[in-house]
Amino acid sequence: MQLGVCYYPEQWPRSMWADDAKRMVELGITHVRIAEFAWSRMEPRAGEFVWEWLDEAVGTLAAAGLKLVLGTPTASPPKWLIDAHLDVLPVRADGTRWNFGSRRHYDISSATYRRECVRIVTAMAERYGRHPSIVAWQTDNELGCHDTVPSYSSAALERFQAWLQQRYETVEALNDAWGNVFWSMEYPSFGAIGLPNLTPTDANPIHLLDFRRFMSDEVASFHREQIDVLRQHAPSADLLHNFMGFFTTFDHYQFAEDNALDVAAWDSYPIARTESIALPEEQKARYARTAHPDVSAFDHDRYRAIGGGRFWVMEQQAGPVNWAPWNPVPAKGMVRLWAYEAFAHGAELVSYFRWRQCPYAQEQMHSGLNLPNNELSPGGLEVQQAAREIAATAALSELGAPARAATAVIFDYETQWMFEIQRHGKSFDYQTLVFDYYEALRGLGLDVDIVSSKADLSAYRLVVVPSIAVIDDALVGQIERSAAQWVFGPRSGSKTTTFAIPSSLPPGALQRVLPMQVLEVESLRPTLAPAMSLGGVHGVAMHWREHVRANGETQVDAYFDDAWPAVLSHGRVRYVAAWLSHALHREVLAQAAQDAGIETQRLPDGLRIRRRGDLTFAFNFGAEQVRAPAPANATFVLGTSQLKTGDVCVWLSA
Ligand code: GAL
């Protein structure tokens, strides 16, 4: 369990640097990330490098005994570069260009910008690549943040056409696969295909999907150019990128694979995230100061898989932030709790954003570990407490790696894109559906791995697929070979890879293991709520329901009140034919877990547990005091079983 911090020496007088470094070490911080927005200071004019200040900053921090994470500055190209190369600015869907004056104002498809990035990264890597205190490099910053992935530039268009040609080989094959006979959309050549913007009504969904697939590949290949430079010049450093929470614009599994990342790092802002995602208002209100109990855990569990087991929190909320619709001060204890939570889920490092609140510019309302006057902030004091506890407790400082969970949830990026392109009902959001299932599993006290459908799933006892648009033979093969219980949610197998309805009807290839067919689907306005019960739990379908037919030996385990099947099963495979209200999802999963021989419990709202090594952690995000479900004779290494809001306890698992 190591603690880090994000630091911007270029924003403070040099006279403060040595004292900052000393105070970081005193606080218990071991890692410091610097430089990721400092291009205008590294290269104030084209080709004129000024390293002397960065040499001194690196030297000062290293001399204090800190390990460094060096960021490449490509998320903020300087003004001289934009003035010299206007084509670096990205083009938005409406055809206008972004302006200079904030950050991320670059087009990932621009050949000019790619060349400029390789140039600055090479210069940095040649200078610092073998510095013994620089243990990791972070590339760029939050790729895609501020909705900057899709670019509708001529560079993007040219590369998209080449990408399509490679994928389809002939334009006839593309016309056929896309169904372009519809509305006379047929193209005479690849060069005639445009980007899917500025059309009077919906563009062809497969055109949109291929553009999203292409953009996802663009992000990975843009990034790969930096990785290639860094591998060469910094051969022993960990290479990472700081991803975001709930962010799905590119396929992170593919990205990690294409870039051979050493660690998946991500930026965790639990309260701001809770405010900005599609949660019911009642939950946002309940967890306004603690964050929803699953909102960070969800991404810890996802990024652990993306990093092949290794993940860091590169930026951790340390107090109120500035960018959510509302930005409250966290409840007392939460800054400390979030650190333990990340460690319980397997993080190697939790690094805070930022060392000191900056009194000027865009983030002046964003807290840090220090107030602008250099006094430790309330969050800073909680970090100090956590650092002292960890240092004093061998069981915490020498934690083993997290074991594989018995339960997997499949998260699929393409499914997110397909159902965004074709919501069909305005409240249908795939990631929110996955989150609801995840929340139900965690409320049952289970540890969960969130993984790709292409991962090896053979060791799991319960595999939950809240939905997956395309079910391919490989996935059906995994079901056939595994001994697990499988739960599939609505819209599973509803599409082919070319965004059409399977000829056998949904759920497509899943019918091989679960004979059934989806005849019609409906999205549900809030006043349409077909009711049902399962295992004594009453609830309704929300957002989405399917009218399905059970075939062969498939059983109907529950019906809606209007006689349509709600839950079907065949052998070890279940299908849930609607988006059900939360308690019903929990009941479906509790039954599947029981069939899988996995023990569950009903945790009070706001209480969560997580096992790592031989420890069990419990966290209280709720407003009331609760009792952690530790055995009566448990040995506690931290806290006790009585948990007030924001409290943590840790005991030795039996
Ligand atoms: C992150 C970003 C940081 C900072 C932070 C504020 O998204 O990487 O640079 O802006 O948000 O919360």
Side-chain angles (χ1 to χ4, degrees):
M1 291 196 187
Q2 308 204 76
L3 299 172
V5 76
C6 305
Y7 183 51
Y8 300 91
E10 69 278 16
Q11 297 171 6
W12 306 98
R14 283 188 204 210
S15 56
M16 295 182 82
W17 296 355
D19 184 58
D20 283 339
K22 181 168 145 273
R23 290 179 57 234
M24 287 174 195
V25 173
E26 282 166 6
L27 196 63
I29 280 170
T30 55
H31 288 63
V32 54
R33 183 193 69 182
I34 62 168
E36 80 276 11
F37 294 116
W39 195 336
S40 70
R41 290 295 169 97
M42 293 178 203
E43 191 184 13
R45 277 160 294 277
E48 203 178 292
F49 293 106
V50 178
W51 298 119
E52 164 274 326
W53 72 271
L54 190 53
D55 291 351
E56 185 180 330
V58 168
T60 305
L61 296 163
L66 291 158
K67 294 178 183 152
L68 277 83
V69 181
L70 201 57
T72 69
T74 52
S76 53
K79 184 71 162 91
W80 60 258
L81 192 154
I82 301 300
D83 288 345
H85 308 286
L86 259 189
D87 62 310
V88 164
L89 292 177
V91 178
R92 303 194 299 170
D94 69 1
T96 58
R97 277 191 195 276
W98 290 111
N99 273 336
F100 180 84
S102 66
R103 63 176 173 184
R104 300 215 56 76
H105 43 283
Y106 70 80
D107 174 0
I108 46 172
S109 298
S110 156
T112 313
Y113 196 56
R114 286 178 174 232
R115 195 184 63 228
E116 287 295 307
C117 289
V118 167
R119 198 178 55 76
I120 185 75
V121 174
T122 305
M124 264 184 104
E126 281 174 354
R127 190 164 189 94
Y128 301 107
R130 290 171 200 270
H131 192 293
S133 294
I134 299 175
V135 296
W137 286 71
Q138 174 189 299
T139 44
D140 203 278
N141 189 79
E142 295 192 339
L143 287 163
C145 185
H146 316 310
D147 193 22
T148 50
V149 164
S151 177
Y152 298 85
S153 62
S154 53
L157 173 61
E158 239 172 75
R159 291 171 66 94
F160 181 50
Q161 290 168 343
W163 184 95
L164 289 171
Q165 180 145 25
Q166 198 172 12
R167 187 174 177 96
Y168 293 97
E169 291 175 6
T170 68
V171 77
E172 292 75 25
L174 175 139
N175 280 325
D176 195 39
W178 283 20
N180 281 337
V181 60
F182 195 79
W183 289 352
S184 274
M185 292 184 294
E186 285 163 305
Y187 293 102
S189 65
F190 285 103
I193 302 174
L195 297 174
N197 61 330
L198 298 171
T199 54
T201 183
D202 298 340
N204 189 343
I206 179 62
H207 189 174
L208 289 161
L209 177 64
D210 272 345
F211 182 60
R212 295 200 67 162
R213 288 171 170 154
F214 158 71
M215 275 294 163
S216 182
D217 289 354
E218 284 290 88
V219 176
S221 75
F222 167 79
H223 185 265
R224 177 67 201 231
E225 296 183 0
Q226 297 196 18
I227 291 287
D228 289 344
V229 172
L230 293 171
R231 285 266 176 244
Q232 187 189 342
H233 296 287
S236 51
D238 278 331
L239 303 188
L240 53 88
H241 174 73
N242 58 331
F243 300 109
M244 288 177 281
F246 275 75
F247 186 77
T248 55
T249 300
F250 55 89
D251 183 333
H252 289 51
Y253 306 121
Q254 192 62 48
F255 180 98
E257 198 178 311
D258 289 356
N259 283 278
L261 289 183
D262 297 303
V263 179
W266 79 283
D267 297 344
S268 177
Y269 292 94
I271 290 185
R273 188 62 58 210
T274 300
E275 270 299 350
S276 29
I277 59 176
L279 286 174
E281 178 51 36
E282 166 272 315
Q283 294 212 12
K284 291 192 184 197
R286 176 151 22 123
Y287 296 119
R289 289 194 191 277
T290 58
H292 187 287
D294 299 304
V295 89
S296 293
F298 187 62
D299 275 304
H300 292 325
D301 286 345
R302 181 156 48 182
Y303 284 115
R304 192 176 58 251
I306 289 165
R310 292 191 64 195
F311 87 94
W312 295 7
V313 176
M314 202 67 253
E315 299 178 12
Q316 172 66 58
Q317 177 168 2
V321 308
N322 66 325
W323 51 265
W326 288 277
N327 298 290
V329 171
K332 190 168 174 310
M334 291 314 297
V335 172
R336 167 176 173 265
L337 180 152
W338 291 323
Y340 284 116
E341 182 193 20
F343 291 130
H345 285 262
E348 296 174 0
L349 172 78
V350 174
S351 163
Y352 289 91
F353 190 87
R354 47 184 281 153
W355 174 244
R356 188 167 38 240
Q357 183 171 354
C358 185
Y360 54 87
Q362 280 93 329
E363 295 184 341
Q364 53 185 267
M365 303 300 284
H366 195 298
S367 62
L369 298 185
N370 290 278
L371 304 176
N373 72 353
N374 217 14
E375 204 178 303
L376 271 188
S377 66
L381 290 166
E382 290 191 21
V383 173
Q384 184 175 54
Q385 182 189 346
R388 287 182 181 161
E389 287 162 355
I390 295 167
T393 316
L396 293 176
S397 49
E398 291 153 23
L399 258 186
R404 178 195 281 272
T407 304
V409 167
I410 306 284
F411 183 82
D412 182 62
Y413 289 89
E414 257 200 32
T415 300
Q416 177 70 27
W417 308 338
M418 288 170 104
F419 297 160
E420 267 175 24
I421 290 167
Q422 194 174 72
R423 279 188 199 280
H424 197 61
K426 77 174 190 178
S427 57
F428 191 97
D429 178 62
Y430 164 70
Q431 185 165 230
T432 307
L433 175 66
V434 179
F435 185 68
D436 197 66
Y437 271 89
Y438 176 81
E439 180 184 355
L441 289 165
R442 301 268 298 133
L444 290 167
L446 300 179
D447 292 345
V448 175
D449 289 346
I450 300 184
V451 296
S452 155
S453 63
K454 297 184 180 72
D456 175 4
L457 302 167
S458 56
Y460 292 105
R461 280 153 55 203
L462 172 61
V463 182
V464 179
V465 190
S467 186
I468 184 164
V470 178
I471 295 186
D472 58 13
D473 289 341
L475 183 57
V476 178
Q478 294 234 51
I479 302 170
E480 284 167 340
R481 287 190 304 277
S482 97
Q485 293 289 320
W486 292 70
V487 178
F488 284 86
R491 301 187 85 164
S492 291
S494 60
K495 298 293 164 188
T496 65
T497 50
T498 54
F499 216 132
I501 298 169
S503 55
S504 61
L505 296 184
L510 189 66
Q511 294 177 52
R512 270 175 31 208
V513 288
L514 178 66
M516 62 169 280
Q517 282 166 307
V518 178
L519 308 176
E520 285 187 306
V521 300
E522 55 176 356
S523 53
L524 302 170
R525 65 188 335 284
T527 52
L528 291 176
M532 62 162 288
S533 331
L534 180 75
V537 177
H538 308 291
V540 296
M542 303 149 60
H543 313 302
W544 186 273
R545 182 176 68 149
E546 300 174 347
H547 292 181
V548 308
R549 173 168 66 208
N551 292 333
E553 284 167 16
T554 294
Q555 257 174 249
V556 179
D557 301 328
Y559 287 91
F560 288 104
D561 288 358
D562 62 7
W564 283 106
V567 180
L568 301 88
S569 65
H570 183 258
R572 295 173 290 99
V573 190
R574 285 174 167 79
Y575 188 91
V576 183
W579 181 320
L580 301 178
S581 44
H582 186 70
L584 282 170
H585 279 160
R586 193 174 53 198
E587 181 58 25
V588 171
L589 295 171
Q591 293 187 6
Q594 187 175 20
D595 291 350
I598 299 173
E599 210 180 302
T600 59
Q601 50 191 311
R602 291 286 159 98
L603 297 178
D605 280 351
L607 179 68
R608 288 294 180 265
I609 56 175
R610 217 313 161 166
R611 298 145 195 95
R612 177 169 173 186
D614 52 5
L615 301 180
T616 303
F617 293 70
F619 307 99
N620 185 10
F621 297 81
E624 287 87 43
Q625 174 160 327
V626 287
R627 198 192 159 278
N633 59 352
T635 307
F636 282 87
V637 303
L638 188 73
T640 70
S641 62
Q642 290 306 321
L643 297 176
K644 296 205 189 75
T645 303
D647 266 356
V648 183
C649 67
V650 185
W651 66 90
L652 286 171
S653 311

